[in-house]
Amino acid sequence: MCVRPDAEVDLDSLLIGGCRSWLRCDSAATSGGSSLRNGTLSMPSSSAADALAEATLRAPLVLVVQLGSTNDAEARVDAEVHARCALTTSLIRRHPAAVVVPSGDVGRSFNPTETPHWQLVAHAMRSAGVPAASIRTPGLPALHTVDEALMTRRLVDDELECEPQRPIALHVVTSDYHGRRVRHLFGVALGDPSLRLVALAVHEVPAA
């Protein structure tokens, strides 16, 4: 899936591809900025096109990481997942170009099936109104919150390696009883001074 600039940035249809590893890195492609006047196609100057490309590259990449919860042996996710999906849906409505990352692997204590929990969460996200195209797959194969923090750090590192000057707005979705732990672990994982372009926000839903 190609990372897209946030749709709230009014840059016509300019698209800059973007990332490595978990999010495929594509070659940059641009469009927009030209106009048809009196039957004559007017193209922007190279300096204007460069400025437009630079502005897009600096537009924040919005990442929404929804932390995992549990599901039963019939692959039914719990109420926490549905509540978090509702919050994720509200975030994607505010940031239509955001990339949404589901989390969770297979584990006897939280997922007794052979299907990774992130796949079940992704299905719940789509049912809640998150566009399928916005959901990055595969999700994070995490077994616990420490995994989620470290895997998110790896994702952020990959993004910054691809586009070093592009800010990242990272939204982490969890439940209120889990918020303090999440802030601590993600704060440690993302506390490197080199990550000054990364802004972290933790969103909590009431415990179901």
Side-chain angles (χ1 to χ4, degrees):
M1 176 167 55
C2 180
V3 176
R4 298 154 294 168
D6 196 305
E8 293 178 358
V9 180
D10 183 16
L11 296 174
D12 302 323
S13 14
L14 179 69
L15 297 177
I16 301 293
C19 75
R20 290 196 177 108
S21 187
W22 289 347
L23 297 174
R24 192 181 70 250
C25 187
D26 295 330
S27 59
T30 61
S31 63
S34 61
S35 61
L36 185 63
R37 297 178 181 175
N38 299 323
T40 302
L41 182 64
S42 173
M43 298 299 294
S45 66
S46 59
S47 59
D50 290 344
L52 189 59
E54 181 180 358
T56 301
L57 284 170
R58 292 180 180 274
L61 166 64
V62 180
L63 294 176
V64 179
V65 178
Q66 181 175 314
L67 303 190
S69 189
T70 68
N71 57 266
D72 62 20
E74 282 70 48
R76 294 176 299 216
V77 296
D78 63 19
E80 299 288 341
V81 171
H82 291 297
R84 295 176 190 182
C85 285
L87 179 50
T88 295
T89 301
S90 70
L91 288 172
I92 201 71
R93 287 172 179 163
R94 288 164 49 192
H95 306 283
V99 176
V100 180
V101 186
S103 178
D105 203 356
V106 174
R108 184 170 58 183
S109 64
F110 65 91
N111 175 15
T113 75
E114 296 183 357
T115 302
H117 182 67
W118 67 260
Q119 289 188 19
L120 306 178
V121 173
H123 177 75
M125 286 177 174
R126 293 190 294 270
S127 297
V130 177
S134 298
I135 302 173
R136 186 194 64 79
T137 59
L140 305 181
L143 297 176
H144 41 64
T145 314
V146 173
D147 274 353
E148 290 173 319
L150 294 176
M151 290 177 183
T152 299
R153 168 60 190 265
R154 178 182 171 188
L155 176 60
V156 166
D157 284 344
D158 287 344
E159 288 294 338
L160 291 176
E161 181 182 356
C162 187
E163 296 182 80
Q165 300 304 314
R166 188 178 188 185
I168 296 176
L170 175 62
H171 299 266
V172 179
V173 177
T174 187
S175 299
D176 54 6
Y177 66 85
H178 197 216
R180 183 176 180 181
R181 176 175 172 79
V182 169
R183 286 185 176 83
H184 171 70
L185 292 175
F186 277 76
V188 171
L190 299 168
D192 193 318
S194 67
L195 302 181
R196 59 185 177 80
L197 293 179
V198 180
L200 171 66
V202 176
H203 304 267
E204 304 172 1
V205 299

